[in-house]
Amino acid sequence: MEIKELGHLVLYVRNLERSAAFYRDVLGWPQVFPDPADPEGLLGFPAAGFSSGRTHHELLLIEVGEDAAELPRGRRVGLYHFGLKVGDSDDELRAALERISQAGVRIAGASDHTVTHSLYIYDPDGNEIELYVDMPGVDWRNNPALIAAPIRPLRL
């Protein structure tokens, strides 16, 4: 067996409407299902799918209700964050920063990873998301050590 690519990510969310609006309206990720007028139409339970067009869906949100347990803080087993590529230049990352700042999104930090420049944010349920741009001219394929380069602060 050989993994060809990461296909999709599924997140439990407290409030589907709030989370779908965040991913769709704030981050600009196209929602592919359901029809907003029929939130339980396709799957029979409250869920929403999103795709950049690369595949049928890259993110699926499943509503579990407002009383769902909080994510534990600190070192724990499980998802740390997931990355969403928003472009190939700092100008595109600055535009993303402006958009999320205007929307009042909580920002966790920013890092220069040599191969990428990254902003770290939280979704409405506290899931951490890395918004990143690949840095032009960084040849990590021929120099894989660049992937593990020391992390530096990023100022946009």
Side-chain angles (χ1 to χ4, degrees), residues 2-48:
E2 177 186 345
I3 302 301
K4 306 296 183 187
E5 65 185 30
L6 177 62
H8 63 270
L9 177 68
V10 178
L11 296 176
Y12 290 129
V13 299
R14 286 186 178 86
N15 180 297
L16 183 62
E17 185 177 323
R18 177 182 62 217
S19 293
F22 173 80
Y23 286 97
R24 180 188 61 238
D25 303 336
V26 176
L27 297 187
W29 206 341
Q31 185 173 339
V32 293
F33 68 85
D35 177 333
D38 184 18
E40 295 188 24
L42 288 176
L43 299 176
F45 53 87

